[in-house]
């Protein structure tokens, strides 16, 4: 099972690849995670979107929308950018009105530290549940997008396909929405 | 300044007016409060909707969307019903995905108890921030609806026009969304 | 498996048993649920307290601290009263500073409605995670109190021993604290 | 009025002063803010702790407990470290059980961006309300600590004495606890 994070933006953010590598060895990096969902007219979560993406090392795993916050970028701008990058420009995300994430995932190179794991860096990721109103089309690094029910999302076959502890992030998102089975 | 609650549903909920009065003297009643807002494409709250409504005693005051939860009704159904009743059927509310309210307002006949006041009853109200995507038209007991900025919403002239402590509820809603000035 | 709620306070709250039964057929009733936990010096939840209690019909089941909010009683007072009743006067609970519950459990006589079930009534329960600093001694209707790890708490043998859907409430509490496995 | 952030840890975190300056020009930095409070037995916030601290440029301003999260450090460890540094080792903080901050403050060199301002860097700060059970003694960079009521805390004379927009952070903390006047 792979443990990479899907979006590293190593070409962006005004730092070279070498510089990013250097910083990552010395400072925690700010990330966002977004769990895309479908909701009905009463706001109840009916489906969760699971991304499938390929890591630099060639392995493929289930993941959330995830990526680095750039210098000068607000969290809301970063959420929009990463959602558009992974799900296309017609996804019509409802970025939450509250800036408070439903949880904070702390990714460490040491997998035993928190259960959230990234071999490259210490990342502090603010995780949001984001209802989608439009058409979500997997794009760029995303290979596939599957919509599943909350019950399917917590099944063992799905959970095992996730990387870096994001299956737990998914369960926490469902719990936040009151629909964890 | 009036202190009534705008929606009592005394004709509904399968209890007569007399029975409702009797229950209200013995049990806390479940309520919802909804603060209608406009958000931009990044989810930032840009405007707050202030209702103007007439109380049974003839006074008029600023208020939120507010009302009783009926027997057998879920909170989500109650939110939808009260929003449609006050803002019309084209308001297109985004009921939050999380069932957790941003605050709980405890209304007491004794105004000194919590600052939230209802002379008729002890009501426990779950308060939600609800972005509106559609056209909001004041209807039924609502006389007027004004959209104001967060800064205008916390001005003294607006705050003083609220009844029952709901000006505070409005400030808590704005704080939850990170836009309290 | 039993589905009763552990505390009905039918003798209290200034209503006779007959009156309570009548009201319960017509109005949702305000409840609180408290999930007792132990935390370490960094605030991380290390253990969850599981109550064992006997229902009026003689069955015994795992449960949370749970009970009705009385007329004139604030939620904080109700939390303190029910915790003291079930866990004794030396439990030293840390009632949360925020009035917002981690979730709202809507109990219905119809078990298919929300998954939270009470055959006697429609109850709207505000659920809180409450760290305990003192000695918890099961008292009154509580037969036993067991402290288990988050991993043990979500095991199937524990989950099956709960009544009324409160095993789900427990998982949501652990998710809120970031320690759901 | 000064706009510095009180704790920069430039000597720590395994980076030289020059390196920290360089990184700050290219990456958002992870921070925590802690608002110390006193609570009564029911969990209600009764007082807020206001720090007075001196900035590198010699100016003095009101502030929260605030500082950088180091590489390899969890948020909980960082909260404990900064609280101990500013309030002493006998402060006995109740670090919240939930990892979700009550708000996220995004500090930018450009004061018009979010209202939270730091001339040196783009910092993303997770803000927590932290009840204190012990003796708080201002230490290290903290000159003074004043305990005030929520009403006093939002008075204009107090608000004007804060730097970097932290008076707003304080109001959001009080709103989260339901005690914003």
């Amino acid at each position: 099972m792979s443990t990479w994070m899907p979006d590293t933006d190593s070409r962006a953010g005004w730092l070279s690849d070498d510089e990013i590598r250097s910083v990552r060895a010395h400072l925690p990096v700010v990330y966002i995670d977004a769990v895309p969902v479908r909701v009905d007219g009463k706001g109840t979560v009916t489906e969760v979107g699971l991304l499938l993406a390929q890591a630099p090392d060639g392995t493929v795993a289930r993941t959330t929308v995830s990526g680095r916050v750039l210098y000068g970028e607000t969290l809301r701008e970063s959420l929009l950018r990463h959602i558009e990058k992974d799900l296309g420009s017609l996804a019509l995300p409802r970025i939450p009105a509250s800036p408070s994430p439903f949880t904070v995932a702390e990714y460490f190179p040491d997998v035993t530290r928190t259960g959230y794991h990234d071999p490259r860096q210490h990342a502090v990721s603010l995780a949001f549940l984001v209802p989608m109103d439009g058409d979500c089309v997997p794009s760029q690094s995303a290979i596939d997008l599957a919509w599943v029910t909350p019950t399917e999302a917590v099944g063992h076959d799905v959970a095992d396909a996730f990387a870096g502890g994001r299956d737990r992030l998914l369960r926490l998102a469902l719990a936040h929405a009151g629909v964890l089975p």
Side-chain angles (χ1 to χ4, degrees), chain A:
Chain A
M1 193 181 77
S2 157
T3 49
W4 52 277
M5 299 187 86
D7 171 42
T8 65
D9 293 320
S10 58
R11 78 275 170 204
W14 335 122
L15 289 182
S16 72
D17 282 14
D18 273 0
E19 287 167 323
I20 277 280
R21 261 190 297 275
S22 165
V23 164
R24 279 184 166 142
H26 294 95
L27 270 190
V29 181
V30 185
Y31 262 70
I32 58 91
D33 272 292
V35 176
V37 295
R38 297 283 188 196
V39 297
D40 66 16
K42 295 175 197 162
T44 307
V45 168
T46 55
E47 290 184 316
V48 190
L50 309 177
L51 279 168
L52 194 70
Q54 187 169 27
D57 66 0
T59 57
V60 164
R62 288 281 170 212
T63 187
T64 55
V65 173
S66 183
R68 191 158 69 81
V69 177
L70 301 181
Y71 183 84
E73 185 182 51
T74 66
L75 289 172
R76 295 181 182 284
E77 290 164 351
S78 193
L79 276 167
L80 267 186
R81 178 173 60 84
H82 287 294
I83 289 169
E84 180 166 343
K85 182 171 55 60
D86 282 351
L87 301 179
S89 57
L90 304 174
L92 301 181
R94 298 184 187 177
I95 308 293
S98 169
S100 178
F102 70 82
T103 201
V104 181
E106 303 178 73
Y107 296 89
F108 284 100
D110 177 354
V111 69
T112 65
R113 200 74 202 283
T114 62
Y116 299 108
H117 179 225
D118 187 333
R120 302 163 314 171
Q121 62 190 341
H122 172 192
V124 175
S125 184
L126 309 188
F128 295 90
L129 187 83
V130 184
M132 299 288 162
D133 281 342
D135 290 328
C136 296
V137 181
S139 45
Q140 295 208 14
S141 61
I143 295 168
D144 183 43
L145 173 70
W147 291 100
V148 302
T149 65
T151 301
E152 291 166 347
V154 299
H156 285 300
D157 50 336
V158 169
D160 291 349
F162 270 87
R166 285 200 183 74
D167 54 314
R168 182 146 67 107
L169 203 58
L170 191 67
R171 289 191 289 276
L172 267 54
L174 295 174
H176 170 72
V179 296
L180 182 78

